């Protein structure tokens, strides 16, 4: 009789899954993984050892698709996050059609298409938007789960799948089949579905410089950080120069890739590949605090800020040492630079001295994003807002996805009376880093001042939740001199004022 899988087997199973599919499962999901492993063993009639050896071997493709049916989340619907489809119609398609090419073919990819709703929505938007018959549009849709792809090919959907579809679009592009609906034949014919693994280097999916836009929404949030980086690198290489990437609304490229410009429109975010974006190396993985090492990959990109800045200084010190060895003229530091005194001075509200300490560091540090952010925060604290804005803009030139820079810009813009612009920067900061409490708090206060109680309650409640877990060093940097308790108290009293129920 074959033995029951033990914890070592389960660990091997988890590692093989993440390597083969990108999908990450934290410790809380080990029980679920154990059940899946047992089901697969029962269904194949194999021993644990043979099964795991095959899974770890070179050709486990059939088993990977079987596992995909057990392990993937297929939640999707037509016109999900419709603002992104408005951006597709109003910005992306017109911009991409301005790029001359022969033949005139636009190429779009739905990566992780599930049961097809996203790809068919793209096809409808294309039909609604492009009137010029000289353009052809090729939509490819890929998923790992064969059951989802079968449903996509069958193309029968319940009314629930159309819950966000505008009624006029429903009438125009869907046909009733009993209680279900099917997309019109023209829409169905526009999409080519195929099985494929986004965690692999499949050359048929990842042709270089090919796609005008890729939708990869609500897929990478289930990936391990390294696998997510690798997938984004593949996406970068296969987007045409200036091509666009749409992620899910809780997914960002912050800390993942420098190869994209962030675009913000219609209350939504998406990315445009930089001129040389495909050449950018993926960002090295930031070290995650131990408490955050498992769990949602994208949401957990936050790092203890002090550790980050210490690493930055170590990097710069190493850089300076290398430059000196190579005879490159870089001002050598007298001693390795230590950010601790600056942070300590910040804690004691001695901002000018803290700034002096930052500026007395090696010149190369002045170009490090973390050090620039510290300088910008100190300038903002000391009331030098024009200089703080300038530091933020210099920082954004180096790191366009800096949530901290956007938050500081929000504070500065508000000071100059530009509340709308302030809110926009806050929204960008909150999008880039969903765990960042301060932009939520600021958005709540801005909404309260504008008399928008609903938005104020929403943002303040979210801020209160985030403040409980906010990183202490980030509170020191951005909390305006207030303690966690004081900021939470501010949220609670503002919520009361807005009439929120306790
Ligand atoms: C939550 S659905 C998202 C569907 C759609 N993109 C949306 O946002 O509505 C995630 C899909 O990603 C697919 N997926 C997960 N890992 C994958 C991989 N390694 N390769 C291809 N597809 C994958 C799953 O099978 C699932 O259908």
């Amino acid at each position: 009789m074959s033995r029951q899988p033990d914890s070592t087997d389960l660990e091997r199973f988890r590692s093989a899954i993440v390597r083969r599919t990108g999908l990450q499962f934290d410790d809380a999901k080990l029980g679920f993984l154990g059940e899946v492993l047992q089901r697969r063993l029962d269904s194949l009639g194999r021993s644990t050892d043979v099964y795991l050896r095959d899974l770890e071997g070179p050709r486990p493709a059939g088993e990977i698709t079987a596992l995909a049916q057990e392990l993937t989340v297929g939640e999707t619907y037509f016109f999900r996050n419709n603002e992104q489809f408005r951006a597709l119609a109003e910005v992306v398609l017109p911009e991409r059609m301005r790029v001359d090419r022969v033949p005139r073919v636009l190429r779009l990819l739905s990566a992780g298409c599930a049961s097809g709703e996203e790809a068919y929505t793209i096809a409808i938007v294309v039909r609604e938007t492009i009137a010029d018959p000289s353009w052809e549009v090729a939509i490819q849709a890929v998923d790992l789960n064969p059951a989802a792809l079968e449903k996509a090919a069958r193309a029968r959907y319940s009314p629930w799948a159309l819950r966000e579809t505008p009624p006029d679009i429903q009438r125009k592009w869907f046909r009733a089949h009993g209680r279900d609906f099917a997309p019109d034949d023209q829409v169905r014919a526009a999409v080519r579905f195929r099985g494929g693994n986004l965690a692999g280097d499949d050359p048929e999916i990842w042709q270089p410089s090919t796609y005008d836009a890729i939708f990869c929404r609500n897929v990478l949030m289930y990936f391990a950080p390294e696998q997510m980086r690798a997938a984004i690198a593949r996406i970068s290489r296969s987007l045409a120069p200036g091509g666009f990437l749409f992620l899910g609304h809780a997914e960002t490229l912050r800390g993942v890739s420098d190869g994209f410009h962030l675009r913000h429109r219609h209350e939504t975010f998406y990315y445009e590949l930089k001129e040389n974006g495909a050449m950018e190396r993926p960002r090295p993985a930031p070290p995650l605090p131990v408490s955050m090492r498992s769990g949602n990959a994208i949401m957990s990109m936050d790092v203890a800020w002090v550790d980050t800045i210490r690493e930055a200084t170590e990097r710069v010190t190493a850089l300076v040492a290398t430059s000196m060895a190579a005879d490159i003229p870089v001002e050598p530091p007298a001693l390795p630079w230590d950010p601790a005194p600056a942070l300590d001075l910040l804690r004691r509200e001695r901002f000018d001295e803290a700034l002096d300490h930052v500026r007395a560091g090696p010149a190369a540090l002045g170009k490090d994003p973390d050090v620039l952010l510290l300088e910008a925060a100190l300038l903002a604290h000391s009331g030098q807002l024009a200089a703080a804005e300038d530091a933020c803009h210099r920082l954004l030139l180096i790191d366009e996805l800096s949530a901290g820079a956007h938050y500081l810009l929000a504070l500065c813009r508000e000071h100059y009376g530009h509340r709308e612009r302030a809110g926009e920067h806050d929204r960008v900061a909150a999008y880039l880093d969903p765990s960042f409490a301060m932009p939520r708090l600021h958005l709540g206060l801005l909404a309260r001042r504008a008399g928008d109680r609903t938005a104020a309650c929403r943002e303040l409640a979210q801020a209160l939740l985030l403040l409980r877990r906010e990183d202490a060093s980030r509170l020191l940097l951005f909390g305006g001199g207030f303690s966690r308790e004081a900021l939470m108290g501010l949220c609670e009293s503002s919520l009361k004022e807005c009439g929120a129920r306790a």
Side-chain angles (χ1 to χ4, degrees):
M1 203 181 116
S2 88
R3 64 178 180 80
Q4 291 288 309
D6 61 20
S7 59
T8 313
D9 299 322
L10 213 48
E11 212 44 73
R12 278 176 69 190
F13 188 50
R14 172 157 75 168
S15 307
I17 288 168
V18 79
R19 205 152 32 81
R20 298 294 184 186
T21 67
L23 299 171
Q24 171 174 268
F25 293 90
D26 60 26
D27 291 352
K29 294 273 170 58
L30 277 176
F32 164 70
L33 279 189
E35 287 164 22
V36 172
L37 175 57
Q38 193 59 60
R39 266 202 298 280
R40 293 306 302 150
L41 295 176
D42 293 346
S43 130
L44 295 166
R46 295 222 189 121
S47 74
T48 313
D49 290 325
V50 170
Y51 176 80
L52 288 174
R53 215 173 41 237
D54 283 355
L55 191 63
E56 291 162 342
R59 285 185 211 287
E63 184 55 18
I64 296 301
T65 52
L67 282 172
Q69 299 187 51
E70 297 263 13
L71 300 175
T72 55
V73 176
E75 162 68 4
T76 184
Y77 45 89
F78 289 94
F79 288 89
R80 180 181 201 174
N81 200 358
N82 193 12
E83 303 79 32
Q84 294 193 323
F85 293 107
R86 283 176 58 204
L88 173 68
E90 292 171 24
V91 181
V92 171
L93 293 175
E95 276 192 28
R96 296 307 301 163
M97 287 165 76
R98 280 198 285 277
V99 179
D100 259 345
R101 64 187 89 189
V102 181
R104 296 182 112 188
V105 183
L106 283 173
R107 295 185 193 281
L108 305 164
L109 174 68
S110 166
C113 62
S115 37
E117 289 88 328
E118 178 179 87
Y120 288 135
T121 304
I122 295 171
I124 292 170
V125 172
V126 163
R127 291 265 158 193
E128 286 280 306
T129 311
I130 301 180
D132 181 346
S134 70
W135 279 97
E136 215 183 287
V137 181
I139 303 168
Q140 190 173 184
V142 173
D143 203 279
L144 188 61
N145 184 344
L149 290 170
E150 265 169 41
K151 183 171 177 203
R154 219 170 38 247
R156 291 283 188 276
Y157 298 96
S158 71
W160 184 238
L162 278 79
R163 60 191 179 277
E164 292 292 327
T165 306
D168 56 326
I169 295 284
Q170 278 192 36
R171 280 191 296 276
K172 191 165 167 192
W173 294 109
F174 288 84
R175 309 285 162 256
H177 283 264
R179 294 166 66 184
D180 289 342
F181 291 88
D184 178 284
D185 286 348
Q186 287 181 60
V187 172
R188 290 184 62 176
V191 184
R192 193 165 70 88
F193 290 98
R194 68 185 292 273
N197 186 352
L198 303 179
D201 280 319
D202 186 337
E204 270 205 44
I205 308 173
W206 306 121
Q207 292 173 28
S209 304
T210 296
Y211 300 105
D212 292 283
I214 295 179
F215 282 70
C216 186
R217 305 185 310 161
N218 309 299
V219 180
L220 300 179
M221 62 194 287
Y222 301 108
F223 274 34
E226 268 322 306
Q227 299 278 8
M228 182 175 68
R229 271 189 194 82
I232 291 292
R234 287 181 200 106
I235 285 174
S236 310
R237 286 194 294 273
S238 71
L239 274 172
F244 291 88
L245 169 64
F246 290 88
L247 296 176
H249 72 96
E251 299 167 327
T252 90
L253 292 186
R254 190 182 73 95
V256 176
S257 167
D258 292 330
F260 291 83
H261 296 296
L262 178 66
R263 302 273 298 246
H264 179 197
R265 188 169 161 132
H266 296 312
E267 295 292 303
T268 193
F269 296 92
Y270 54 102
Y271 294 89
E272 178 187 350
L273 188 68
K274 287 181 184 168
E275 195 85 339
N276 58 353
M279 311 294 286
E280 294 270 349
R281 280 181 303 133
R283 280 187 149 220
L288 296 181
V290 176
S291 59
M292 294 175 137
R293 282 202 183 133
S294 48
N296 180 315
I298 291 181
M299 305 291 282
S300 63
M301 280 300 166
D302 189 22
V303 286
W305 201 82
V306 171
D307 292 344
T308 311
I309 201 165
R310 194 157 284 132
E311 278 203 355
T313 51
E314 279 160 15
R315 264 193 340 263
V316 174
T317 308
L319 179 94
V320 171
T322 318
S323 319
M324 284 167 74
D327 254 358
I328 301 168
V330 171
E331 199 181 304
L335 286 168
W337 191 76
D338 180 5
L343 294 168
D344 189 48
L345 289 163
L346 164 60
R347 191 173 293 113
R348 289 189 279 144
E349 305 198 351
R350 289 160 58 180
F351 306 124
D352 291 342
E353 288 164 71
L355 274 167
D356 288 345
H357 180 80
V358 170
R359 286 166 177 168
L365 271 178
K367 292 205 173 64
D368 187 276
D370 303 314
V371 179
L372 263 173
L373 185 59
L374 174 57
E375 186 183 347
L378 288 168
L379 287 164
H381 275 285
S382 67
Q384 302 177 59
L385 296 185
E389 281 201 317
D390 180 58
C392 287
H393 288 303
R394 275 184 285 134
L395 167 51
L396 288 174
L397 285 179
I398 302 169
D399 178 7
E400 220 180 300
L401 306 184
S402 165
H406 279 287
Y407 172 63
L408 292 174
L409 283 171
L411 297 185
C412 296
R413 284 296 95 202
E414 190 205 0
H415 176 83
Y416 291 120
H418 301 152
R419 287 196 187 160
E420 221 164 274
R421 196 79 192 102
E424 243 171 69
H425 279 297
D426 278 329
R427 275 188 285 278
V428 176
Y431 161 72
L432 286 173
D433 185 349
S435 68
F436 193 1
M438 294 311 292
R440 292 276 170 212
L441 173 52
H442 193 219
L443 275 171
L445 297 178
L446 286 172
R448 193 190 66 177
R449 247 168 267 154
D452 183 346
R453 282 168 165 234
T454 316
C457 281
R458 187 185 61 234
E459 300 296 347
L460 289 165
Q462 183 65 19
L464 189 57
L465 216 68
L466 293 175
L467 275 169
R468 287 199 185 103
R469 287 176 290 149
E470 183 58 283
D471 179 70
S473 50
R474 200 153 64 166
L475 278 180
L476 168 67
L477 199 67
F478 298 112
F482 294 100
S483 66
R484 185 188 307 275
E485 292 67 32
L487 292 167
M488 288 173 67
L490 174 64
C491 283
E492 280 160 354
S493 60
S494 306
L495 273 167
K496 261 195 210 126
E497 267 178 52
C498 292
R501 279 200 227 122

